[in-house]
Amino acid sequence: MLAACCSLFTALSASVALGLDWVARLQLVPLALAGCTSALLAWVALTLLFGRLYCSWFCPMGAVQDIFARLPRLTRKLAFRHRYSYKRPLNRLRYAWLALVVAAWGVGVGLLLSLFDPYSAFGRVASRLVAPLWGWLWGNPVAVASVAAFAVAVVTLAAIGAAAAWRGRLYCNTLCPVGSALSLLSRHSLLHFDIDTDLCVNCGACGRVCKAECIDQADHVVDSSRCVMCFNCVAACNEKAIRYTANRKKLSIPLMQKVQQPATSSAAVKIDRRKFLATGLMLATAPALDSLADAAYTVEHKGEAPARLRPVVPPGRRSMKEFLERCTGCGLCVSHCPRKVLRPSAGELGWTSMLHPVMDYDRSYCLFDCTLCTELCPTEALQPLTPDEKHIFIIGHASVDWTKCVGCGICAHSCPRKAIEMVERPADTPKGGLRGPVARVNTDMCIGCGLCQYQCPAYPDKAILVNGIV
C-alpha cells in the first residue's frame, strides 16, 4: 500500500496515476468528503469485526511511521534501549481534538482537516518532496511550486517522523482524526488481542514491542481502541499467551468477579465542572461561529472583486463553497498536472483554505483538452469532465489593460476558443503611449484557460490577466 500510494503521487506517467487512483479511493477522509456511504459502511463493518485494520495496513502515513519507528531500533540492543512501555490513553486530548477538527470543518474551516488527515499529509510529502527527487533522478528539472506547501511538507514529515521514532504510533492515537474516529469502533471489535494469564509469565516482552503502547502488563489488558493490529506482540511472546481471538480467556483460578450495582442505587453522579462549562461554551458559541464563518466566506468569496485578481481554481467544481469544503489539499492534482500550472495556494483562497490548488498562469496554462485533475480527485471536489465538457467549463475570464497592450496579437492567435480579437486602440490614448491595435476579450466565449496571460510578452506587467469566478 505504501508503494502503491507513493507511486500514485510520483508517477511520471498519467496513465500510471489513473491506474492507481483506486488507492486514494480506499482512504477514509476522501471517501467521507465524496459522500461514498456504502464504502464508509464497509469500513465501519471491517473495523467492528477486525479492529483498526486501516491504520496498520491501508494508511500510507501509518507505514511511514513504522519506518521511522524502526530506524532507532534496528538491532536487538537498540530495540531494548528504545523499548516501548504502556502509557495511559490520552482520551480527552484525542476526542476533544477530533471534535474540534469536525466542528471546524462543519463551519467552513477545512485547514485543520487538510493538515491532519493522514492521506492528505502523506500526499503533500510525496508530491512536494519525493516527486521532485524522483523527477530529478530521471533528468527532469526540479522546481518548487509553492514555498508554503514545501515548508508544510517538511514540517509534517519531521514532526510525524520524530514522534514515531520516540513513541511509535503516538500521532495515530492523539492527533490523527481518522485514528480517533476508528478508535470509537475498534474498542467494540469482535476480534481483539487477549492475554491468557494462565500462560503469561509477566516477562513484559509484548509491552516492549507494542508501538501503540496499549498493553497494560499489570492488568493483562490490551486497549483495543489504540491497537493498530501490527501483531508484534504475538511474535514477541514465547509463551503463546497473547492471541487474536473473539473470546475472552476465562481464568482457571478467577482473580476478580463482577459485582452488579444494585438497581435501586441512589449514588449521585459526579459532574466535572470544567467539562460542563466547556461543553456549554461550545454549544453556546457554535451558532456564532457558524454565522462568522458564513460572513467570512461571503466577504472573501462572494463580495465585490478586490483590487487584486481572484484566484482561479481547477475545472470541475460544482461551486466554490463545495470545492473548498471537499478539497483536502492532498496535492494529487498538482503533482500530475501535465503543464504544471497548478500549485498549492498560499493564502489566495483565504487562510482557512491554504494548500488548495490554484492556477498560476504566469508559469504555465491549462491544456484545452486535459481533464486529468478532474479524473484523479478522490474527494469529488472536482467532478470528472469529458474533453467536450472541459472545452466549455468556465473557470475564469480574461481582461485586457489596453494601456499596456503592445498589439502583438499573440493572445488572439493562440486562444483555443477564439475569444480574443484585435481592434483599434481607443482614441483617448495618452500622448506618447503605445500605438497600434489592442486585444479585446469576448467574455461569452472565454473559459479562463490562461494561455493568453502565459504568452503575453508585455513586461513588467502582463497586459492580459485571467480573473477567477466565484
Side-chain angles (χ1 to χ4, degrees), residues 102-233:
V102 173
W105 179 82
V107 298
V109 182
L111 182 61
L112 291 180
L113 184 62
S114 298
L115 289 176
F116 291 93
D117 166 36
Y119 162 75
S120 301
F122 176 84
R124 284 188 291 272
V125 171
S127 59
R128 302 275 68 84
L129 302 181
V130 181
L133 177 61
W134 181 245
W136 176 77
L137 292 175
W138 284 90
N140 296 333
V142 177
V144 177
S146 169
V147 175
F150 179 79
V152 168
V154 171
V155 171
T156 298
L157 183 62
I160 293 181
W166 175 41
R167 285 185 53 184
R169 290 298 190 97
L170 179 64
Y171 168 73
C172 291
N173 288 318
T174 51
L175 298 181
C176 177
V178 176
S180 298
L182 291 178
S183 71
L184 296 171
L185 300 173
S186 63
R187 65 174 68 246
H188 305 294
S189 62
L190 176 65
L191 291 166
H192 52 266
F193 288 99
D194 187 64
I195 299 176
D196 186 340
T197 52
D198 290 334
L199 298 177
C200 179
V201 295
N202 294 316
C203 67
C206 56
R208 289 196 292 269
V209 298
C210 178
K211 56 196 174 189
E213 300 180 325
C214 65
I215 300 180
D216 186 351
Q217 299 167 44
D219 292 337
H220 298 87
V221 173
V222 180
D223 184 355
S224 297
S225 71
R226 290 187 289 163
C227 177
V228 294
M229 315 293 297
C230 67
F231 284 83
N232 288 352
C233 54

Side-chain angles (χ1 to χ4, degrees), residues 63-124:
V64 170
Q65 290 177 82
D66 288 347
I67 292 173
F68 277 96
R70 182 64 177 164
L71 290 178
R73 302 171 178 87
L74 288 175
T75 66
R76 189 171 182 177
K77 183 177 180 180
L78 287 174
F80 187 81
R81 185 181 301 172
H82 297 90
R83 59 188 181 274
Y84 300 109
S85 61
Y86 173 75
K87 299 293 190 302
R88 294 179 62 84
L90 301 174
N91 287 335
R92 289 186 179 181
L93 170 62
R94 60 172 169 168
Y95 294 131
W97 180 252
L98 173 63
L100 177 62
V101 171
V102 173
W105 179 82
V107 298
V109 182
L111 182 61
L112 291 180
L113 184 62
S114 298
L115 289 176
F116 291 93
D117 166 36
Y119 162 75
S120 301
F122 176 84
R124 284 188 291 272

Side-chain angles (χ1 to χ4, degrees), residues 396-419:
H397 289 302
S399 59
V400 180
D401 184 347
W402 59 268
T403 62
K404 299 175 183 177
C405 181
V406 297
C408 63
I410 292 178
C411 56
H413 290 298
S414 61
C415 178
R417 292 275 298 170
K418 305 302 179 185

Side-chain angles (χ1 to χ4, degrees), residues 275-294:
K275 187 181 297 185
F276 174 78
L277 291 175
T279 303
L281 183 62
M282 289 178 63
L283 291 174
T285 57
L289 288 174
D290 189 58
S291 301
L292 182 62
D294 288 342

